[in-house]
Amino acid sequence: MAQSTYAVTLGILMAVRDSFCILLTALLAALLASCGGEGSVVEITRTRSVESLPKPPAAGATSAQRFGYERPAGTPSPHAAVPAAEAAEFPFAWTAPEGWRPAEERPMRVVTFAAGPNQEAECYVTILGQGGGGAAANINRWREQMGQPPLTEAEVAALPVIEVLGKPSPWVEIRGTFTGQSGAVLDDALLLGLVCPVDAFSVFVKMTGPASVVEAQRDAFLAFCTSLAWSPGANS
Amino acid sequence: MKDLLRSLYRFLSSYGLSCVLFLLLFLLTLMGTLEQIHMGIFDVQKKYFESVFLIHELFGVLPIPLPGAYLVMSLLAVNLLLGGLVRAPKGPAHWGVLLGHLGIVVLLLGAGIQYRYSESGNLTLYEGEQSSEFESYYEWELAIADASGEGPFTEYIIPGRQFMHAGDAGARTFRSPALPFELCVEGAFRNSRPQPVKPGDTPAGRVVDGFTLVSLAPDKQAERNAAGVYVTLRPVPGETTEAILWGLSSIPLTVEINGKPWVIDLRKERFPMPFAVALDKFTHEMHPGTQMPRKFESDVRKIENGIEQSVTISMNAPLRHRGYTLYQASWGPPDAQPGEPLFSVFAVVNNPADQFPLYACIVISLGLCVHFARRLVLYLREQSEGAAS
């Protein structure tokens, strides 16, 4: 009995010794790693040859343009749905509301913003050619995304209208469960949308996210929509 | 001295050390798993599994110093090598156990090689696009290039690990004989956003061209962080230029120096591949009546030295070539409208030790077979001898 107690005690002591040695080694290694840092002046040693630059140069671009708060006049979005030559005919500008953060560029979109305290809401602008299928088709697609039944042509015609880019544009608010094409589901969501018909094209402005967040962004969204304006030099 | 080395050898090859190391690995795994309630997997991996030393806050209040899993596994490899192979008995009776230990050493060696030399990231392609490089999920780099001419262009790369540690107080200057200016990084933020400064505002940080960088808490999903840095370009001779570079900018900083346009961009680190991949077609199917994907796959062409090969990459059938593995990871945009072009995302891994786990499993299995076969033979022999007597 005494022997087994002695063996257990010895085992515990050895484990404590080993743990102490490991911790000491860790501290020494961490200390050595922190001493081995580079100086304040560093030579650039890595180079790479590329056929084309991933992002083309933009001489004279301001910080506001680089960060997506403004769009250089006459510069179409590289991912705009409308062919570049035709999109260049629509050089409109906007003012981003306070607190909105420019988000990563996405195809078909002119610009994307994240809004809300934790950037939970998304707002983006798209331009579609050939009227984009018409206001009713697009509004009903939005309603389908929110799990709501479609509206009739008469109901679409009765929607409230605000003036954007000089055109009366239907405004929609749809509450429901938002389902993205990837299958992502967001319960208690709110969609604010605007369809602005401009000649052969349609400009779509859409915001989706948790209802409470989008509700709080309603005024900002409206301000953003009405801030859309033709840039100098546009053929309006 | 000899006694000291002998003691060190005994310590490093002891069973006691093995037990303590395994216990520490168990604790680190447990703590690292629980910590993912508060931290993202990337940060947990850095803190618990890729470190030599860490301080774990028990219940958020009690700081406990611990060795990191990187150090623990390094010591375990040494311990197994010395205790399980060098010091262990070598007779035929122990061949199975020796093989088992050798397999575990191979496994640990593979983990070390992966940690030190592997590259991982993603490649996003739209139909009709091709690329011979992929970008990191988490790491950033500064790329500087003379944009005059038609190309090819030489990019001068500053890896993020050389400047991202700077925080908002550090400063580091980068230079190259080929560049007509020095670039000084005077503040780096792991997650940030540029904010316009209005008249009357008193921002905490520097203001450059009407903007200041606002530092944000790191996102739990580390790939969503948007890095930002303050930089100063110092040409000789010439006027200095201050600017903010932000990881999500769609337009790079372009500065004219000595009559040439220089492009400076903060972006996710890029890794070249020895071949190109072109996406011909992306297809996805949903389960009937739902928005749940049933399958998605990409028909790609692998292009190398002008030779093209068609390959289909699907969820369980990656493309493996020259040490690179391309997995079908996802697709998007998540809220794409019908008719919108979709992109396909491939997870790309270049791991020189990706077959090591397989080799280790084979060696360990062989060792166990040898060991248990020998035990079985001995048992049967004892039984037959017992029956005979």
Side-chain angles (χ1 to χ4, degrees):
Chain A
M1 182 67 185
Q3 266 189 338
S4 65
T5 311
Y6 172 75
V8 169
T9 311
L10 192 66
I12 291 171
L13 284 174
M14 285 173 73
V16 169
R17 180 205 64 178
D18 289 356
S19 306
F20 181 73
C21 288
I22 293 166
L23 202 58
L24 203 65
T25 313
L27 277 167
L28 275 172
L31 198 68
L32 284 172
S34 65
C35 291
E38 293 161 296
S40 60
V41 179
V42 181
E43 288 287 325
I44 301 171
T45 53
R46 190 187 291 184
T47 59
R48 190 182 304 154
S49 182
V50 291
E51 287 302 315
S52 61
L53 294 171
K55 296 175 191 170
T62 64
S63 294
Q65 289 165 346
R66 287 194 294 117
F67 303 145
Y69 284 86
E70 287 174 9
R71 183 173 157 204
T75 307
S77 166
H79 288 135
V82 178
E86 294 175 28
E89 301 294 310
F90 292 88
F92 59 84
W94 56 77
T95 304
E98 201 171 327
W100 284 24
R101 171 180 166 179
E104 202 170 353
E105 272 192 9
R106 299 275 290 274
M108 306 285 285
R109 295 183 183 180
V110 178
V111 67
T112 305
F113 289 100
N118 299 307
Q119 318 288 322
E120 310 97 317
E122 183 186 52
C123 175
Y124 62 84
V125 180
T126 51
I127 308 175
L128 294 178
Q130 307 298 316
N138 283 285
I139 288 168
N140 282 331
R141 195 180 60 247
W142 289 348
R143 291 184 63 81
E144 190 184 337
Q145 283 180 348
M146 298 295 287
Q148 301 299 319
L151 300 180
T152 61
E153 287 283 349
E155 287 170 323
V156 171
L159 286 169
V161 169
I162 60 170
E163 192 167 297
V164 173
L165 294 170
K167 305 282 182 185
S169 310
W171 163 282
V172 290
E173 295 187 23
I174 310 166
R175 286 178 188 276
T177 299
F178 176 75
T179 307
Q181 193 166 340
S182 66
V185 174
L186 177 66
D187 290 321
D188 193 21
L190 177 60
L191 182 154
L192 301 180
L194 178 122
V195 183
C196 176
V198 187
D199 301 329
F201 303 98
S202 286
V203 178
F204 300 88
V205 192
K206 178 182 174 188
M207 175 179 265
T208 53
S212 57
V213 178
V214 177
E215 193 74 62
Q217 295 291 329
R218 183 194 303 275
D219 290 345
F221 180 75
L222 182 60
F224 175 72
C225 291
T226 51
S227 79
L228 294 173
W230 300 113
S231 286
N235 60 346
S236 56
Chain B
M1 186 65 184
K2 214 170 179 180
D3 286 345
L4 184 69
L5 284 176
R6 190 173 293 134
S7 299
L8 185 68
Y9 171 68
R10 279 188 186 152
F11 168 68
L12 287 174
S13 59
S14 66
Y15 276 122
L17 181 65
S18 310
C19 295
V20 171
L21 290 173
F22 278 119
L23 184 67
L24 283 170
L25 273 183
F26 167 73
L27 279 177
L28 287 169
T29 308
L30 182 70
M31 290 169 174
T33 306
L34 292 177
E35 195 68 8
Q36 286 176 44
I37 298 168
H38 310 293
M39 294 167 71
I41 191 163
F42 176 76
D43 292 309
V44 165
Q45 198 157 324
K46 287 273 178 204
K47 181 177 176 183
Y48 288 87
F49 303 112
E50 295 179 5
S51 60
V52 290
F53 179 73
L54 65 106
I55 296 195
H56 176 78
E57 301 275 337
L58 192 63
F59 305 118
V61 287
L62 186 63
I64 300 176
L66 283 171
Y70 179 74
L71 177 71
V72 173
M73 284 199 278
S74 302
L75 284 174
L76 190 61
V78 174
N79 177 251
L80 264 173
L81 206 63
L82 296 180
L85 293 173
V86 177
R87 198 177 162 186
K90 306 289 189 310
H94 304 283
W95 285 355
V97 175
L98 287 171
L99 271 173
H101 287 165
L102 181 68
I104 300 173
V105 170
V106 171
L107 198 63
L108 289 169
L109 186 69
I113 293 172
Q114 177 180 352
Y115 171 70
R116 189 71 187 83
Y117 298 106
S118 75
E119 296 165 342
S120 64
N122 71 97
L123 168 62
T124 301
L125 291 174
Y126 286 89
E127 287 181 1
E129 282 187 341
Q130 75 171 57
S131 178
S132 59
E133 57 182 18
F134 60 99
E135 67 175 33
S136 170
Y137 285 111
Y138 312 110
E139 307 294 345
W140 296 87
E141 69 181 14
L142 277 168
I144 305 165
D146 173 2
S148 56
E150 294 294 313
F153 303 94
T154 300
E155 289 185 323
Y156 298 85
I157 307 294
I158 306 172
R161 64 177 176 278
Q162 293 186 340
F163 62 86
M164 284 308 295
H165 70 284
D168 56 357
R172 182 166 277 184
T173 302
F174 297 91
R175 65 186 180 195
S176 164
L179 297 180
F181 57 87
E182 287 183 342
L183 184 142
C184 184
V185 179
E186 290 157 318
F189 301 91
R190 197 176 151 203
N191 192 19
S192 64
R193 67 179 160 83
Q195 183 167 292
V197 179
K198 294 175 185 167
D201 285 355
T202 50
R206 280 170 59 189
V207 179
V208 179
D209 193 20
F211 278 81
T212 187
L213 266 181
V214 178
S215 178
L216 303 172
D219 199 296
K220 270 186 86 172
Q221 287 177 281
E223 63 269 29
R224 293 176 63 177
N225 289 330
V229 295
Y230 287 101
V231 295
T232 303
L233 307 180
R234 297 203 184 96
V236 182
E239 286 184 11
T240 60
T241 304
E242 291 186 6
I244 291 173
L245 301 178
W246 187 48
L248 293 186
S249 295
S250 54
I251 302 172
L253 174 68
T254 309
V255 182
E256 190 166 308
I257 295 172
N258 297 344
K260 287 183 175 179
W262 286 86
V263 171
I264 299 117
D265 192 23
L266 176 64
R267 66 191 189 194
K268 290 280 176 68
E269 188 170 6
R270 287 168 177 249
F271 303 103
M273 295 189 292
F275 57 93
V277 174
L279 178 64
D280 289 332
K281 192 180 176 192
F282 172 76
T283 46
H284 71 283
E285 290 177 15
M286 301 291 186
H287 285 288
T290 73
Q291 293 290 324
M292 299 292 290
R294 192 173 73 85
K295 74 165 188 178
F296 47 106
E297 62 184 30
S298 304
D299 294 330
V300 302
R301 269 174 299 124
K302 174 170 68 65
I303 305 162
E304 188 175 15
N305 301 324
I307 300 168
E308 299 189 359
Q309 183 189 357
S310 295
V311 183
T312 298
I313 302 175
S314 59
M315 283 187 280
N316 295 314
L319 163 64
R320 293 180 194 274
H321 185 61
R322 295 187 60 170
Y324 291 81
T325 310
L326 279 77
Y327 302 91
Q328 178 72 65
S330 63
W331 56 277
D335 57 347
Q337 298 172 358
E340 272 192 33
L342 300 174
F343 59 78
S344 183
V345 183
F346 305 101
V348 187
V349 179
N350 174 25
N351 177 13
D354 68 336
Q355 296 299 307
F356 273 46
L358 175 65
Y359 304 150
C361 284
I362 291 171
V363 174
I364 292 169
S365 303
L366 198 64
L368 290 175
C369 286
V370 169
H371 183 70
F372 287 116
R374 186 178 171 281
R375 300 293 299 178
L376 182 66
V377 168
L378 284 177
Y379 171 76
L380 292 175
R381 192 179 292 164
E382 278 173 17
Q383 291 294 309
S384 60
E385 282 172 2
S389 63

